[in-house]
Amino acid sequence: MCGIIGYTGMRDCVPILLEGLKTLEYRGYDSAGITYAKDGVLHSVKAKGRLSILAERLTEPSVEGATSGIGHTRWATHGAPSDKNSHPHSTETLSLVHNGIIENYAQIGDRLSREGYVFLSDTDTERAAALLDFYYKEVKDPKKAIFRLCRDLRGSYAFGILFRSEPNTIYAIRRDSPLIVANTEDGCLISSDIPAILPYTRHYYRLSEGVLAVLSGKEIYFFNEEGESVSQTEEVVSWNVEEAKKGGYHHFMLKEIHEEPEALRKTVEPRIRDGFVDFSHELPDDTFLGSVKRLHIVACGTAMHAGLVGKSLIERYARLPVNVEIASEFRYRDPILEKDDLVVLISQSGETADTLAALRHAKSKGIRTLAIVNVIGSSVAREADDVLYTRAGPEIAVASTKAYSVQCSLLYLLALRLAKLRNTMTDGQIAELSDLLLHNVPELIERTLEQSEIVRRVASTIKDAEHIFYIGRDIDSSLCTEASLKLKEISYIHSEAYASGELKHGTISLVTDDVPVVALATVSKVCEKTVSGIREVKARGAYVVTVTTEALAKQYEIPSDEWLILPNADERILPFSATTVMQLLAYHVSALKGLDVDKPRNLAKSVTVE
Ligand code: F6R
């Protein structure tokens, strides 16, 4: 949550900072602010609301000629979005931006109030800035003061700091929140994420925890707590700035849904060799998978919903018991973990605080961990014992789409590899399914995408509903959980997902005249049962939209008011098509309502706080 950017060098910093904040807005966008140094003086400008409001307040010529500054785009944790709570937070000696949560901020505030500090905001960050100010006045050395501050803080942080005494030097340090630094031809940058530095360089350093970066404008120096110079590994971005742009689509979400065929190819192709799943590039010896007795899939939100699909697949094909856990619960509820268990963490960003904490919990219990992550080199990827990368490329829209689809495909591969190691399927069966994943799924999604206009028309029939239910059985019920989340997060329509047999145990009381019920029916063995569920809701006046194939609709005489017909395909890969249709449905509902599809209210792309 929250995006940080900083630049010091030879160019005007304000346009660079604004551009960077625009790129980082996916991390939070309820307020923004900038501190820039001009003629040796620090100036701060902040604004509640979108970046455009801040940009309007940063009028030239006052910002012209300012060549160092820090900026922040906020996702509120402590204190409502407002000018006063926006970052940077400044004191007599410094200005600071922060991503993370300082857990002991109240104690710090009390202590500093006794020293005469007065706080203007409700934020934890202002307390941290004040504590740094206090130490800096005492030791008169920015490096020593920053390390003293960090020793006192509980919680997570990535800081970008400007001292009034050295307005052209940026200091940066982090714990449990991401931060990268980069050197360009004409200056140095800090950023919460890679896309913001891509217009200037592809080379960057992912700052190690506890290492202080000092950016002079020409050079970057790294120091440990003892004040010794340390080195950091330079990394190079493998994707380009175009991949992170909208490419002609109205919204990133729509673009990213259209990228699914390619993302699926990139994720599956390198892992199929001679017809079988082969992880040897990434897991030189994956035979340990064969002796695993139980899997715990741990993740948040959409990634956790992919875990539910994974559970269906792994239990079905590899006959291995799987628990799916919400990461924020797993870390605190002392789960039963045994020596032959494997904890699988799924995360698009690889920076989700709860998922990272769950990973650390599993490791502290001596349990082996495997991460399924999209962002290369992210914290979850680095800390897990093993990692399998999804290849979705950058995902900018807050609502996750292509990342979910590739997570499901990777779990499919994992299920097949486990099935091979555990001898629960014949080689022929495994080869057949691998081939479907490799050759048929991307093409199936391409055909599904051709129906976007039909989905849009159906979306127009449900867009004004107050409540929408999703029902399905077997793997369809897992797909429903994600379909429902997608709809509610971007359309603000209340929605719930139910295994269709469960609806009659209470929730059906909410189904009245014209309440839309979206029924997923892709699994023939339970289709008759799904039809019963549809009849039950129709009898109570529901407006039913059924997502199925023409063949299943005919064979089971499915009653429905509206249809979203999936292309004919092998039933075992239909979930991929149903997923894309559900994502398109949520997208079109939101777009038709004129909402901010890519940046829904109250959310952020990367949830790096608890
Ligand atoms: C919803 C969504 C979130 C994320 C969740 C975990 O569309 O994107 O529910 O899935 O915050 O994020 P990652 O996968 O980055 O750990």
Side-chain angles (χ1 to χ4, degrees):
M1 319 305 240
C2 301
I4 288 179
I5 184 87
Y7 173 83
T8 176
M10 277 140 60
R11 294 171 56 181
D12 275 1
C13 69
V14 170
I16 296 174
L17 298 179
L18 282 175
E19 198 52 38
L21 290 179
K22 205 160 135 205
T23 311
L24 294 171
E25 242 190 330
Y26 73 89
R27 302 178 65 84
Y29 36 82
D30 55 46
S31 51
I34 278 177
T35 293
Y36 60 93
K38 190 166 175 205
D39 304 327
V41 179
L42 297 188
H43 304 268
S44 294
V45 182
K46 315 202 263 190
K48 177 186 167 190
R50 289 296 163 86
L51 207 50
S52 50
I53 306 173
L54 175 70
E56 277 165 24
R57 290 189 186 174
L58 282 159
T59 44
E60 291 180 46
S62 64
V63 298
E64 233 174 67
T67 57
S68 74
I70 49 178
H72 186 271
T73 178
R74 180 168 185 250
W75 186 85
T77 58
H78 294 63
S82 65
D83 287 4
K84 71 169 186 179
N85 288 334
S86 311
H87 301 213
H89 287 284
S90 302
T91 70
E92 260 179 59
T93 61
L94 60 98
S95 188
L96 168 153
V97 285
H98 168 220
N99 168 204
I101 286 184
I102 307 301
E103 287 164 2
N104 55 337
Y105 79 102
Q107 293 96 308
I108 293 173
D110 289 347
R111 179 179 150 197
L112 292 171
S113 297
R114 288 194 293 276
E115 300 287 343
Y117 280 84
V118 176
F119 298 105
L120 304 174
S121 78
D122 312 312
T123 63
D124 52 341
T125 306
E126 193 188 10
R127 276 71 183 165
L131 188 56
L132 181 58
D133 178 88
F134 179 77
Y135 284 141
Y136 178 67
K137 283 175 179 161
E138 203 174 290
V139 298
K140 311 268 183 320
D141 176 336
K143 293 206 280 289
K144 284 189 183 143
I146 291 170
F147 280 119
R148 266 185 85 172
L149 167 75
C150 292
R151 277 202 295 278
D152 282 5
L153 298 182
R154 280 207 321 270
S156 57
Y157 52 78
F159 288 127
I161 309 159
L162 280 177
F163 285 90
R164 293 186 196 276
S165 55
E166 303 173 51
N168 295 321
T169 304
I170 298 177
Y171 290 82
I173 194 160
R174 72 175 201 98
R175 183 205 291 161
D176 284 349
S177 293
L179 198 64
I180 60 170
V181 296
N183 211 338
T184 74
E185 274 176 12
D186 53 37
C188 300
L189 290 152
I190 63 168
S191 172
S192 296
D193 202 357
I194 294 166
I197 63 156
L198 272 185
Y200 316 104
T201 180
R202 303 169 73 80
H203 297 255
Y204 68 98
Y205 302 91
R206 202 177 286 275
L207 199 56
S208 299
E209 300 216 342
V211 169
L212 176 67
V214 182
L215 290 76
S216 75
K218 287 199 183 112
E219 299 287 343
I220 305 175
Y221 306 93
F222 300 105
F223 298 95
N224 65 15
E225 203 175 339
E226 283 69 48
E228 298 156 348
S229 212
V230 290
S231 60
Q232 297 280 274
T233 314
E234 193 181 64
E235 296 178 47
V236 185
V237 186
S238 57
W239 37 274
N240 62 40
V241 80
E242 278 317 303
E243 283 181 79
K245 288 204 174 146
K246 276 191 201 154
Y249 290 93
H250 282 306
H251 298 101
F252 278 112
M253 182 175 174
L254 190 58
K255 173 181 180 249
E256 287 161 8
I257 296 172
H258 279 79
E259 285 169 349
E260 281 173 8
E262 194 50 25
L264 284 158
R265 277 188 195 102
K266 284 187 178 157
T267 302
V268 174
E269 243 170 44
R271 283 150 176 150
I272 307 257
R273 197 155 315 144
D274 301 328
F276 290 100
V277 178
D278 180 347
F279 289 136
S280 60
H281 283 320
E282 302 125 294
L283 312 177
D285 179 10
D286 70 355
T287 48
F288 75 90
L289 288 173
S291 55
V292 165
K293 296 277 180 301
R294 201 164 49 138
L295 278 189
H296 304 264
I297 299 183
V298 187
C300 302
T302 291
M304 190 274 290
H305 293 157
L308 295 173
V309 172
K311 174 182 166 75
S312 283
L313 298 170
I314 293 166
E315 291 189 342
R316 183 192 308 165
Y317 295 130
R319 307 304 299 155
L320 180 68
V322 181
N323 288 332
V324 180
E325 298 258 6
I326 295 168
S328 53
E329 291 294 314
F330 179 85
R331 61 185 293 196
Y332 290 119
R333 70 170 191 83
D334 196 13
I336 299 168
L337 296 170
E338 283 162 4
K339 114 173 145 19
D340 291 325
D341 289 1
L342 175 69
V343 172
V344 178
L345 296 307
I346 308 178
S347 177
Q348 187 284 126
S349 63
E351 299 294 348
T352 301
D354 286 318
T355 309
L356 190 56
L359 162 71
R360 290 175 181 167
H361 178 78
K363 287 188 80 176
S364 75
K365 300 281 173 197
I367 304 300
R368 190 160 184 156
T369 54
L370 167 68
I372 295 181
V373 175
N374 196 45
V375 176
I376 295 174
S378 54
S379 302
V380 172
R382 278 180 296 139
E383 292 190 27
D385 296 313
D386 295 293
V387 57
L388 293 171
Y389 283 110
T390 50
R391 304 278 178 199
E395 193 179 61
I396 306 296
V398 164
S400 184
T401 52
K402 60 176 179 170
Y404 170 80
S405 296
V406 293
Q407 283 160 357
C408 293
S409 72
L410 197 38
L411 288 161
Y412 221 126
L413 295 176
L414 184 62
L416 296 181
R417 181 64 187 144
L418 284 163
K420 169 83 179 152
L421 291 166
R422 293 166 59 82
N423 281 320
T424 49
M425 289 168 84
T426 65
D427 282 358
Q429 288 168 324
I430 295 176
E432 190 193 346
L433 265 172
S434 306
D435 191 60
L436 278 174
L437 283 177
L438 181 62
H439 294 117
N440 298 42
V441 170
E443 182 257 352
L444 170 63
I445 307 300
E446 271 154 14
R447 282 190 288 145
T448 308
L449 287 167
E450 285 165 15
Q451 302 186 16
S452 190
E453 271 314 298
I454 299 171
V455 182
R456 193 172 123 92
R457 186 186 53 72
V458 174
S460 71
T461 69
I462 61 170
K463 76 175 182 26
D464 296 319
E466 262 181 68
H467 311 279
I468 295 185
F469 291 91
Y470 285 83
I471 59 170
R473 281 178 181 254
D474 198 274
I475 201 164
D476 284 341
S477 84
S478 303
L479 301 181
C480 283
T481 58
E482 174 56 11
S484 169
L485 174 65
K486 213 79 310 168
L487 182 84
K488 66 188 141 203
E489 69 176 318
I490 58 169
S491 74
Y492 314 147
I493 297 175
H494 166 243
S495 147
E496 289 191 42
Y498 271 87
S500 50
E502 185 63 12
L503 205 64
K504 58 184 172 294
H505 295 287
T507 311
I508 201 160
S509 65
L510 296 174
V511 177
T512 53
D513 277 351
D514 300 326
V515 168
V517 174
V518 180
L520 262 69
T522 73
V523 186
S524 54
K525 73 171 187 224
V526 288
C527 228
E528 270 176 4
K529 306 288 170 200
T530 304
V531 170
S532 309
I534 295 175
R535 287 195 199 290
E536 285 159 14
V537 293
K538 272 190 79 63
R540 277 132 189 111
Y543 170 76
V544 175
V545 177
T546 303
V547 184
T548 189
T549 60
E550 212 170 325
L552 288 171
K554 273 202 188 119
Q555 188 182 347
Y556 293 95
E557 296 177 4
I558 303 178
S560 190
D561 299 294
E562 189 51 89
W563 300 93
L564 287 169
I565 296 293
L566 305 174
N568 275 328
D570 188 298
E571 191 175 311
R572 292 166 293 180
I573 56 168
L574 272 183
F576 288 101
S577 176
T579 293
T580 304
V581 164
M582 293 294 90
Q583 292 167 346
L584 285 172
L585 187 66
Y587 168 78
H588 286 304
V589 168
S590 175
L592 285 166
K593 290 178 84 166
L595 297 171
D596 193 344
V597 177
D598 287 334
K599 296 195 191 86
R601 70 184 177 211
N602 301 345
L603 294 175
K605 182 71 183 163
S606 183
V607 187
T608 54
V609 294
E610 236 193 277

